[in-house]
Amino acid sequence: MQIVVTGASGFIAKNVRKFLSDNNVKLISISRKDFKKFPNETKIITKKYDEKNIVTKIKNSNALIHLIGIGKQNIDIDYNLIHIELTKKIINLCKKSKIKKIIYTSGLGVSKNTTLGYFISKYNAEKQIINSKLDYTIFRPSYVVGKNDHFTKYLKKQIMKGQIEIPGSGNYSLQPIYIDDVSQIIFNSIIQNKFRNKILDLVGSQSITFEKYVKEFSAGTNTKIKKINLENVYNKAMSDPHSDFGVDDLNLLIGNFKGNFNKLKIFADMEFTSIQKILKSGSLF
Ligand SMILES: NC(=O)c1ccc[n+]([C@@H]2O[C@H](COP(=O)([O-])OP(=O)(O)OC[C@H]3O[C@@H](n4cnc5c(N)ncnc54)[C@H](OP(=O)(O)O)[C@@H]3O)[C@@H](O)[C@H]2O)c1
């Protein structure tokens, strides 16, 4: 089995690559910048994912896992360019390389009724994939937690400073899913036929409010928790590209999206790690 991974140095990609390598899958991983290889892995470094550098190297792979995405835009790089145009390019690469299966991580909350630019771009990326005639599995993840995801790193940084700031009430919910479970499901979706041409929410079993999550995350660390005015956080997000929360990070949080865990569980047919267990085990530290 040989699998191609795009956006190789991202959080989900790094973990999925390690999982696949540990399971003796041959990998071809593509990134814009150099990265450390796992056993059984070949790397391709490219800025623009141009056909001529890639097609011969990935030809006849069994599947491609497309893990490129952004959560913040700027005047040079926007959602249209990355989620839609780059996805078109990746679909073309699959076709030219005779790769029949594509896995894509979209977002929880994507629907045809969405009014949010971030979700509209993900919806259109999904549509490109569905219309491509490739065999696809599209996942719509909630918040994927692991040692090095962006949000966990942010919380650890705040704990070091002695205070975690919660935007607004903190009453909105997340439905976190553990990265090791995500890696396993992505692998299953490649080797099991039942995932063919399916769209699945990628969520954990429980919804938990942001405030409760933060409290449990920082339990025993002597960290103060402070609620900050939502207008101020949005104002900062809109004008400061380095703010901790981007506008769409806030939209996704406040959006309070819930996914269908029961459907995922039936498909995945595996044990999921509960968020309490992850938080209590200290494995995010
Ligand atoms: N993590 C979550 O909780 C979560 C939740 C919902 C959806 N998702 C989706 O899942 C996918 C992976 O998420 P992640 O958390 O692993 O994100 P991530 O750590 O930010 O990784 C995304 C990767 O996309 C690639 N990328 C970014 N900008 C690019 C550009 N201008 N041109 C080419 N490649 C670019 C980069 O790969 P290289 O640096 O290797 O080039 C980057 O590492 C994304 O599509 C994201 O929207 C994630």
Side-chain angles (χ1 to χ4, degrees):
M1 162 120 25
Q2 177 171 291
I3 294 176
V4 182
V5 178
T6 66
S9 53
F11 160 66
I12 297 181
K14 233 188 254 174
N15 285 278
V16 167
R17 286 167 43 229
K18 176 165 190 331
F19 180 92
L20 295 174
S21 170
D22 288 347
N23 283 279
N24 295 319
V25 172
K26 241 174 111 182
L27 284 168
I28 303 178
S29 301
I30 316 180
S31 174
R32 292 164 302 168
K33 49 184 187 277
D34 200 13
F35 59 92
K36 202 165 161 254
K37 279 196 304 182
F38 290 115
N40 289 326
E41 188 169 44
T42 306
K43 52 184 169 181
I44 301 176
I45 310 298
T46 172
K47 287 258 181 305
K48 299 210 163 119
Y49 284 77
D50 282 331
E51 225 180 283
K52 67 173 175 16
N53 300 320
I54 300 180
V55 170
T56 50
K57 296 179 183 148
I58 65 173
K59 206 152 192 111
N60 295 321
S61 299
N62 299 81
L64 180 145
I65 309 172
H66 180 28
L67 292 170
I68 296 173
I70 53 170
K72 270 183 188 172
Q73 313 188 87
N74 61 49
I75 52 167
D76 299 316
I77 296 172
D78 60 23
Y79 294 144
N80 182 57
L81 200 66
I82 300 304
H83 295 160
I84 306 174
E85 295 308 318
L86 200 45
T87 297
K88 281 186 198 162
K89 238 180 180 174
I90 301 296
I91 290 169
N92 181 50
L93 282 177
C94 288
K95 289 187 170 172
K96 293 267 162 66
S97 320
K98 304 206 175 337
I99 297 173
K100 295 195 174 68
K101 169 101 200 180
I102 184 166
I103 318 294
Y104 181 58
T105 46
S106 174
L108 183 69
V110 170
S111 86
K112 67 177 180 358
N113 297 322
T114 190
T115 59
L116 205 64
Y118 172 80
F119 283 147
I120 291 171
S121 68
K122 287 275 190 182
Y123 178 83
N124 284 322
E126 289 186 359
K127 237 169 58 185
Q128 296 290 337
I129 290 170
I130 293 165
N131 293 337
S132 69
K133 305 241 163 54
L134 294 170
D135 164 6
Y136 66 85
T137 306
I138 292 170
F139 290 107
R140 291 176 172 165
S142 174
Y143 162 40
V144 181
V145 284
K147 222 179 191 128
N148 288 311
D149 72 85
H150 303 291
F151 181 51
T152 297
K153 283 199 286 196
Y154 161 78
L155 287 181
K156 287 194 268 199
K157 204 171 83 189
Q158 298 242 309
I159 287 173
M160 298 286 282
K161 290 184 189 160
Q163 177 168 293
I164 296 180
E165 294 182 337
I166 293 184
S169 71
N171 287 337
Y172 38 84
S173 296
L174 316 162
Q175 210 171 341
I177 180 163
Y178 190 41
I179 181 65
D180 289 2
D181 294 346
V182 167
S183 299
Q184 176 74 60
I185 294 167
I186 288 180
F187 185 45
N188 290 357
S189 73
I190 294 169
I191 59 174
Q192 296 176 1
N193 218 17
K194 62 184 169 183
F195 285 88
R196 197 182 154 87
N197 297 345
K198 293 286 180 303
I199 301 180
L200 293 167
D201 296 339
L202 196 54
V203 294
S205 57
Q206 294 156 286
S207 251
I208 179 168
T209 67
F210 189 80
E211 180 172 16
K212 190 156 185 253
Y213 185 84
V214 163
K215 277 188 178 154
E216 291 192 14
F217 187 97
S218 60
T221 63
N222 220 354
T223 308
K224 261 175 56 187
I225 291 176
K226 186 181 170 197
K227 293 187 178 165
I228 46 173
N229 182 291
L230 196 53
E231 282 179 18
N232 295 344
V233 192
Y234 264 107
N235 279 335
K236 188 159 195 276
M238 279 187 273
S239 54
D240 175 1
H242 304 295
S243 69
D244 287 320
F245 292 96
V247 174
D248 285 309
D249 295 326
L250 295 169
N251 290 337
L252 299 193
L253 274 180
I254 312 294
N256 213 15
F257 298 102
K258 305 274 190 311
N260 189 341
F261 173 74
N262 289 333
K263 183 175 171 193
L264 179 72
K265 193 165 164 50
I266 290 166
F267 267 90
D269 194 22
M270 56 179 251
E271 283 308 310
F272 285 78
T273 318
S274 84
I275 208 64
Q276 264 74 21
K277 190 173 160 200
I278 298 164
L279 290 173
K280 285 213 176 83
S281 69
S283 55
L284 297 183
F285 279 89

